[in-house]
Amino acid sequence: MSDNVPAQIVPADGEGIAAAVAALRAGALVAVPTETVYGLAARADRDESVAAIYRAKGRPDFNPLIVHVADLAGAEQLALVDARARVLADAFWPGPLTMVLPRREGAMVAAAVTAGLPTIAIRCPAHRVMRQILRESGLALAAPSANASGGVSPTCAAHVAASLGGRVGLIVDGGDCPDGIESTIIALRAEGGWQVLRPGPITADAIAAVIGQGGDAPSSNRIEAPGQMTSHYAPGKPVRLNALTADAEEFHIGFGAVAGDYCLSADGDLAQAAAHLYAALHAAAASGRARVAVAPVPDAGIGAAINDRLRRAAA
Ligand code: AMP
Ligand code: MG
């Protein structure tokens, strides 16, 4: 794919979805809406297609990809789904929960998807458009966030076009992503414990309510997996956290009573703040200000995921 042909943005209607399905089947990259963020999708079973994802993002090849499936049966073709995983799938799929499971021997996935790990990360997304694409294509789709590696994740089609430009041929425009923050990633340990590798919309408490406590301390700050990089989601300027006020050189991202230049949620609603987080970081990046300051955000519920992303944006 040439770098200077601008991506075609198509609406998420029958025709747009059919174009996406045809392109994906042919092995091309397509940016697709999900409930979390926009994904840069390719068929997971083809080496060249998966290689094209890494190339378009400039993503290091030791950072494995999440594979998206239409349903539990799709997951079972690729991974060993034990009783706990089944209970979690029952509770949270389709939805923003990614499970790291033992890879099934002979699974039809390109080696680069798992970056040489014996495990595979799998998710069954809830977004209507992504679900239709998965169903109609009959494919499992590798789909990391549709942005240049290390940058701010995209929550609308325009963000994708700005970040990947001509490196993706087709963008399916499904509007704003409702959750706005990447999926929770959980590792289920063979010995019975579990750990959150990346906090997200499904909280550790919600998971514990279904399968019991994990045993180990929550590990959101520990580098557990390749790709849980310290610096990520970066707007390309210095970011200062817990800022109740900002100076003239700072773009101030507010929360609750702190209005700032862009308020994540004036009502102090954390789900709304998550949905607005990346749009705020994109606005901060595009602004004329040299630096970014962010108001404190409580750590409760999905606030843990927001603060995880903010810490990495500031690192
Ligand atoms: P992204 O696709 O950008 O949302 O990132 C996917 C995340 O999933 C990365 O941070 C990886 O570290 C993580 N991941 C993917 N596959 C595995 C795996 N097999 N084991 C642990 N983490 C994984
Ligand atoms: Mg990403």
Side-chain angles (χ1 to χ4, degrees):
M1 177 78 41
S2 156
D3 259 21
N4 33 37
V5 180
Q8 191 193 353
I9 303 183
V10 296
D13 55 14
E15 208 176 308
I17 288 171
V21 167
L24 287 164
R25 288 186 149 214
L29 301 181
V30 178
V32 293
T34 81
E35 72 274 31
T36 59
V37 302
Y38 274 72
L40 182 63
R43 54 188 300 163
D45 61 351
R46 205 177 275 184
D47 290 330
E48 312 87 81
S49 304
V50 172
I53 292 180
Y54 283 92
R55 210 162 46 239
K57 283 181 62 84
R59 181 175 173 113
D61 62 8
F62 54 80
N63 188 359
L65 304 176
I66 295 170
V67 179
H68 297 71
V69 295
D71 49 31
L72 186 60
E76 283 175 325
Q77 288 177 6
L78 306 178
L80 303 178
V81 181
D82 68 7
R84 271 181 314 165
R86 215 171 297 266
V87 168
L88 285 173
D90 256 3
F92 299 114
W93 280 3
L97 180 72
T98 296
M99 290 193 255
V100 173
L101 300 168
R103 197 168 76 89
R104 182 179 286 284
E105 208 169 321
M108 300 283 280
V109 278
V113 165
T114 52
L117 295 169
T119 50
I120 184 167
I122 303 195
R123 175 165 108 81
C124 174
H127 195 285
R128 171 193 70 86
V129 175
M130 180 58 154
R131 290 188 63 67
Q132 201 172 335
I133 290 171
L134 285 165
R135 261 199 325 268
E136 290 185 13
S137 69
L139 296 168
L141 296 173
S145 55
N147 56 279
S149 184
V152 178
S153 303
T155 53
C156 65
H159 292 162
V160 180
S163 185
L164 291 180
R167 281 174 286 168
V168 56
L170 192 64
I171 302 172
V172 181
D173 187 351
D176 290 342
C177 300
D179 288 342
I181 204 159
E182 292 82 353
S183 61
T184 304
I185 304 180
I186 177 183
L188 294 168
R189 307 286 184 216
E191 323 77 62
W194 56 270
Q195 280 176 315
V196 170
L197 301 182
R198 176 175 73 185
I202 308 234
T203 62
D205 285 347
I207 294 167
V210 173
I211 56 167
Q213 293 296 333
D216 295 318
S219 67
S220 54
N221 296 325
R222 198 136 51 92
I223 296 177
E224 260 293 323
Q228 294 299 99
M229 279 89 151
T230 309
S231 173
H232 205 140
Y233 317 106
K237 346 184 142 166
V239 177
R240 185 167 69 86
L241 303 181
N242 296 314
L244 289 169
T245 59
D247 66 39
E249 284 299 296
E250 289 175 321
F251 183 94
H252 197 189
I253 297 176
F255 178 82
V258 181
D261 298 297
Y262 189 122
C263 193
L264 294 174
S265 170
D267 300 335
D269 176 335
L270 287 166
Q272 186 180 46
H276 293 159
L277 176 66
Y278 290 127
L281 287 170
H282 279 283
S287 78
R289 315 283 171 77
R291 290 175 279 112
V292 186
V294 189
V297 175
D299 224 27
I302 198 174
I306 297 174
N307 284 318
D308 169 75
R309 306 308 190 272
L310 285 172
R311 274 193 299 275
R312 291 175 206 272

